Amino acid sequence: MIRLTIRNIVAHKARLAMTTLAVVLGVSFVVASFVLSDGLRSTFNDLSEEITAGIDLEVRPTSDFGEPLPLDIALVDEIAALDGVNNAVGFVEADENSVQPVKADGTTISTTGPPQLMGGWIDDPALSSFTIVDGTAPDELGEFSMDRDAAARNGFVVGQSYDLITPLGVMEGFDLVATTSFGDNNTTVGATLMHVSLDQAQTLFGTAGTVDSIGVDAEPAADLTAVTGDIQSLVGNTGAEVIDNATLTAEQQAEFNEGITLVGNVLLGFAIVSLFVSIFIIYNTFAIVLGQRIREMALLRAIGAEARQLRRSVLGEALAVGAVASAIGLGTGIALAQGLTALFAALGAELPSYPVILGPRTIVIAVVLGVGATVASSILPARAAASVPPIAGMRDGATVSGSTRRRLGFGILLLTAGLTTGSYALFGPSLPTLGLVAALGSAAVAVFVGITLTSRVVARPLTAVLGWPLGQMMGPVGDLATGNAGRNPRRTATTAAALMVGLSLVTTGYVVGESVKSSVGQLLDESISADYFIGDSNESGFSAAVADDLLSSGQFAALTGERVDEVRIGSRVSELSAVDLEALDQMIDLDVRAGFIPDRDATNVIVVHQDLAAELGVEVGDAIAVEFVSGFTASLEVAAIRANGAMFPRPLVPDQVFDDAGASTTDVFVAAVLPDGVTTEQVAPLIEELQATYPQISIDTPSEVKDQVNSEIDGALLVLNALLALAVIIALIGIANTLALSVYERTRELGLLRAVGMTRRQTRRMLRWEAVLVALFGAALGVATGVVFGWGAVSALPDDTFGATVTVPVVQLGVLVALATVATLVAAWLPARRAGRLNVLDAISQ
């Protein structure tokens, strides 16, 4: 039986090659996700060690919630004076991309991909990983340094002056006094690293008299435990903590790994989708191949082979195919990882260089998935083929059959279970992220398998409807193509299932994306009367002077900035927004359900959402205690309760509340409305002047905001479709594979058609359009399933998002189906060409 297994593999290697390719593609994606994440993790782990090298202890502020308040700079000298401390320095760093240098040509470095970082220069080499390569340290005001690679890459030259874009606006005439190296090899992983003096940093970042943290270099012979205790005693009343180098490094690595793990898991999810699609192809291939070998297996049974021996032989073939595919997938997965890296770069999210790591875990998982998927997919066809009685199998026209009623019942059961599980996950009690993903994933698998098992009932009538135009246009050729597509409903349903999975996921993305775009447009058109929205593309906030400059111009009827900070309300930690409530009410429909929006003179009031009011059990007129990070507690009266909405989803308080609490002083958003009769053209000079002063902000009209949202969603859909393209390609391979096996199976039939007058061209057209009808059947199932999935996802979105209205993008889905049709014609070219070239007499003789 082992020799028989080997002979069958060799004899049918061409038939199994396409199946092997499908498994290879799925395994490749799995390997690529692990190679990419392991390589990036290695790079950033090394980077973390570089960042924390030399720091024996770090003192940092803590807080029960929110961003902790910085440390008093006086602590630096006090810590440095302790026994066992060689030196202590204060670290100050700006938010990512909040400081951008302007190149000589007036442009800035792109903020996509690796970040731009600026901090205070540290002179002590024991506590700093940076060394001067060229020039002198930036010790004076108006000086800065840049790492050597970023300077060379962007044309910055030591000795030249450049402007810096900061949260305070454009700061002109900063001298580049040095290029630096981060470690021996300047391992910046693509980031742009800059420094200014500590005094300059405190001025630029608005942190005068404070530092973000304090690095400590202990004396070589010092007892770190004793030094830690002395420092903790010194800073204990400030709420700060002292951590050692190992803890600091581990935390830095964990911070980097969080994002890397997310990217790796997303890619792994698409790999699992690809393997899931491959399972349908493998199952279909083995079912067809074993159906063609039914007489051979019956003869083996007749001469003494047992059914279990035949099953083992088939499983052996599957094992060999899976092993070969897994081995090839390991190699192609490494190449695919490089391709994904290039894809990210093309989309503006360039990844740093990383080592290629093919770890034992990756090899084991790839082999287990590749072999497991292949063997598992062949079990049912093997059992069915081996169960055919020998006498029945040796008859002409013998086929492998199963219980149609049982399959239909099981399919309905799976479909019901999948829809029920998915509905519970989306609309039931809130689940943790891992539980939600597991519930939705298992629900989707159940739905897909359930549709595959039940769709055979509609395969024949639906392909007849889809093929009716072919009969009208092509006559007998079209009728034959339609009949062939529906003659084996079970095979048609299984073949179409692979395409259904890919297209349903693409359709889901389109429905969700278009629904969000439609809801955003409706919100901007119906609920907002503001003429300008001002935001920061870097999400680091900007100076409140922007709003002050606009307000002082006297050209706006109403204007407000929005400041955001974390607070504790009751037992809940929540974000809170400070705005001009009266001005905001003039520009945005706040949908007040109880009470009213107070005027701008009101203080110690708060406007909350219905959910928060219900959670706290408060009504209009009741008091709510709000605790800020600084320890300041305000008792605020509920002035109004509003519906949960997409715009300004946080509770609202007057600006004075933040001023009293010493909370955030930077705006994240500004909205402004023009007086009646004043047009945007009339204030264009003011807007241009403001944009020149604060280049980092984006000043947009509602229509421009709508375009930006649409562009971002389209970009996300582009990435989604690019990753799902592999699943669709595998599905098309499955259609071509099924058609090729079908041509072999129907060789005699095709010969007879040729003998009675069908031309080679007609034969090719018949086969190609037969494949198209199967693809259209799968596309119809996929689009319908995707619309249902999309409806569920959009309906489950919370009220404070932009997903209230379900929109089905008919045009995009039509284009998607058309592309699938064209791709199917291409995939069917080789099998159809082979059918057209059959020798008539040889075909009839089989």
Side-chain angles (χ1 to χ4, degrees):
M1 294 306 296
I2 294 175
R3 288 196 298 271
L4 177 65
T5 299
I6 297 172
R7 184 188 65 79
N8 284 331
I9 293 173
V10 174
H12 305 110
K13 55 182 178 294
R15 304 185 204 175
L16 297 176
M18 299 287 274
T19 303
T20 304
L21 178 59
V23 182
V24 165
L25 292 176
V27 171
S28 296
F29 222 137
V30 173
V31 173
S33 65
F34 283 121
V35 168
L36 191 62
S37 57
D38 288 348
L40 289 175
R41 190 171 288 110
S42 173
T43 294
F44 281 100
N45 282 347
D46 292 344
L47 177 62
S48 298
E49 293 176 0
E50 288 269 13
I51 292 173
T52 59
I55 302 175
D56 294 317
L57 301 170
E58 182 175 275
V59 183
R60 63 186 184 187
T62 61
S63 174
D64 292 339
F65 60 91
E67 187 72 23
L69 299 177
L71 300 171
D72 191 319
I73 195 173
L75 285 173
V76 175
D77 292 335
E78 294 178 20
I79 293 173
L82 293 174
D83 291 339
V85 175
N86 186 45
N87 192 18
V89 297
F91 295 127
V92 177
E93 187 173 276
D95 293 332
E96 288 186 7
N97 300 319
S98 62
V99 177
Q100 302 174 53
V102 181
K103 294 188 281 190
D105 61 3
T107 62
T108 58
I109 302 171
S110 173
T111 56
T112 58
Q116 300 171 57
L117 301 171
M118 176 174 279
W121 176 258
I122 303 299
D123 284 322
D124 188 345
L127 289 167
S128 174
S129 300
F130 290 88
T131 55
I132 301 294
V133 175
D134 181 26
T136 59
D139 296 327
E140 304 295 331
L141 297 179
E143 297 179 345
F144 78 109
S145 66
M146 181 179 293
D147 76 88
R148 67 187 186 197
D149 292 332
R153 189 168 57 244
N154 296 287
F156 286 87
V157 179
V158 173
Q160 300 296 315
S161 293
Y162 302 93
D163 295 341
L164 298 180
I165 299 173
T166 75
L168 303 176
V170 176
M171 310 294 286
E172 299 179 344
F174 268 69
D175 296 329
L176 180 63
V177 296
T179 54
T180 62
S181 176
F182 179 65
D184 295 335
N185 300 315
N186 195 40
T187 314
T188 66
V189 294
T192 299
L193 305 180
M194 299 169 288
H195 289 92
V196 291
S197 67
L198 182 60
D199 290 342
Q200 184 72 80
Q202 291 173 326
T203 301
L204 291 178
F205 312 157
T207 59
T210 63
V211 292
D212 297 332
S213 60
I214 300 172
V216 178
D217 174 29
E219 294 178 352
D223 182 352
L224 278 182
T225 302
V227 174
T228 300
D230 291 343
I231 297 175
Q232 191 64 68
S233 298
L234 176 65
V235 303
N237 62 338
T238 67
E241 65 176 354
V242 185
I243 60 173
D244 59 18
N245 180 271
T247 302
L248 182 63
T249 302
E251 289 181 351
Q252 183 67 69
Q253 290 175 343
E255 182 179 344
F256 284 135
N257 288 339
E258 184 177 353
I260 295 169
T261 300
L262 176 62
V263 173
N265 287 342
V266 169
L267 294 177
L268 187 59
F270 286 104
I272 292 173
V273 170
S274 300
L275 274 174
F276 181 64
V277 171
S278 300
I279 287 174
F280 290 100
I281 298 171
I282 300 165
Y283 170 85
N284 216 26
T285 300
F286 273 96
I288 297 172
V289 169
L290 293 177
Q292 293 170 0
R293 289 162 49 192
I294 194 67
R295 175 175 288 186
E296 170 192 325
M297 299 182 74
L299 286 171
L300 289 170
R301 289 287 307 279
I303 62 175
E306 298 180 2
R308 61 187 178 85
Q309 289 179 305
L310 295 178
R311 288 196 296 269
R312 289 175 183 173
S313 175
V314 174
L315 294 178
E317 294 179 39
L319 178 64
V321 170
V324 171
S326 299
I328 297 173
L330 287 170
T332 54
I334 296 174
L336 182 58
Q338 304 303 313
L340 289 172
T341 302
L343 174 63
F344 281 121
L347 295 174
E350 186 172 354
L351 299 176
S353 58
Y354 56 87
V356 175
I357 300 175
L358 190 63
R361 176 203 57 180
T362 303
I363 297 173
V364 170
I365 291 178
V367 172
V368 168
L369 289 178
V371 173
T374 310
V375 173
S377 303
S378 65
I379 291 175
L380 288 179
R383 288 176 59 87
S387 64
V388 176
I391 300 301
M394 286 186 284
R395 295 196 193 108
D396 284 336
T399 60
V400 178
S401 61
S403 174
T404 301
R405 182 174 300 177
R406 185 186 305 166
R407 291 176 185 275
L408 183 60
F410 187 56
I412 293 173
L413 180 63
L414 279 177
L415 195 55
T416 304
L419 292 174
T420 302
T421 303
S423 299
Y424 178 82
L426 291 174
F427 304 107
S430 179
L431 296 174
T433 302
L434 185 59
L436 179 63
V437 171
L440 290 177
S442 60
V445 170
V447 168
F448 288 139
V449 177
I451 291 175
T452 303
L453 294 176
T454 56
S455 62
R456 68 184 310 274
V457 176
V458 298
R460 182 174 287 124
L462 187 53
T463 52
V465 171
L466 294 172
W468 180 82
L470 292 180
Q472 300 301 306
M473 292 185 297
M474 300 181 184
V477 172
D479 291 334
L480 285 170
T482 303
N484 290 335
R487 72 156 70 174
N488 191 330
R490 178 177 165 186
R491 181 183 299 179
T492 298
T494 308
T495 305
L499 187 60
M500 172 194 67
V501 174
L503 292 186
S504 66
L505 296 177
V506 174
T507 300
T508 301
Y510 271 124
V511 171
V512 174
E514 289 300 317
S515 297
V516 173
K517 287 160 66 172
S518 175
S519 296
V520 169
Q522 183 178 357
L523 179 68
L524 291 172
D525 293 338
E526 298 179 0
S527 303
I528 297 175
S529 58
D531 293 299
Y532 287 102
F533 295 110
I534 302 173
D536 178 12
S537 58
N538 299 323
E539 300 181 358
S540 57
F542 50 92
S543 173
V546 174
D548 294 339
D549 289 348
L550 287 172
L551 192 61
S552 62
S553 69
Q555 297 193 46
F556 295 92
L559 182 145
T560 182
E562 180 191 17
R563 294 183 279 168
V564 177
D565 217 334
E566 276 197 331
V567 298
R568 197 199 311 269
I569 303 177
S571 60
R572 160 200 273 210
V573 174
S574 171
E575 287 188 330
L576 184 69
S577 292
V579 296
D580 183 331
L581 290 170
E582 183 179 359
L584 186 66
D585 192 35
Q586 296 178 47
M587 294 181 284
I588 296 175
D589 180 10
L590 295 177
D591 198 6
V592 174
R593 301 299 175 89
F596 61 90
I597 300 299
D599 59 34
R600 62 174 46 91
D601 294 329
T603 57
N604 296 326
V605 295
I606 187 171
V607 176
V608 299
H609 298 95
Q610 289 176 320
D611 287 350
L612 180 59
E615 179 183 331
L616 299 175
V618 297
E619 298 178 350
V620 172
D622 292 343
I624 295 178
V626 178
E627 180 187 355
F628 289 81
V629 175
S630 62
F632 179 86
T633 300
S635 180
L636 305 177
E637 179 184 342
V638 178
I641 298 175
R642 53 186 293 245
N644 304 312
M647 292 299 294
F648 291 91
R650 294 172 279 267
L652 307 172
V653 298
D655 286 313
Q656 187 62 47
V657 174
F658 268 38
D659 294 339
D660 295 340
S664 173
T665 59
T666 59
D667 284 330
V668 297
F669 181 81
V670 171
V673 64
L674 296 169
D676 292 339
V678 178
T679 64
T680 55
E681 287 77 11
Q682 290 174 284
V683 296
L686 173 64
I687 297 300
E688 291 175 2
E689 180 181 349
L690 187 70
Q691 187 71 79
T693 305
Y694 302 97
Q696 77 274 29
I697 64 175
S698 176
I699 307 174
D700 302 300
T701 62
S703 62
E704 290 171 335
V705 171
K706 188 188 304 184
D707 291 341
Q708 288 180 6
V709 171
N710 292 348
S711 177
E712 291 175 2
I713 293 174
D714 290 340
L717 289 176
L718 179 63
V719 176
L720 173 69
N721 293 341
L723 294 173
L724 285 174
L726 181 61
V728 177
I729 291 171
I730 294 174
L732 294 174
I733 290 173
I735 293 175
N737 198 23
T738 301
L739 189 62
L741 293 171
S742 176
V743 168
Y744 179 85
E745 184 179 57
R746 289 150 49 191
T747 298
R748 187 175 187 184
E749 172 190 320
L750 293 171
L752 289 172
L753 288 172
R754 290 291 313 284
V756 297
M758 178 176 278
T759 65
R760 293 179 185 273
R761 182 169 179 268
Q762 288 175 320
T763 303
R764 291 193 298 267
R765 292 175 68 188
M766 179 186 70
L767 269 295
R768 285 197 296 264
W769 286 106
E770 176 185 337
V772 167
L773 288 176
V774 174
L776 287 176
F777 177 66
L781 294 177
V783 169
T785 305
V787 169
V788 173
F789 283 179
W791 171 85
V794 173
S795 300
L797 290 174
D799 293 337
D800 57 356
T801 64
F802 299 114
T805 304
V806 179
T807 302
V808 178
V810 177
V811 174
Q812 288 94 326
L813 296 182
V815 172
L816 187 65
V817 173
L819 289 175
T821 302
V822 173
T824 303
L825 285 171
V826 174
W829 181 79
L830 277 177
R833 182 171 179 268
R834 180 182 179 278
R837 298 178 65 182
L838 287 174
N839 182 282
V840 176
L841 294 179
D842 289 342
I844 293 174
S845 67
Q846 289 198 19

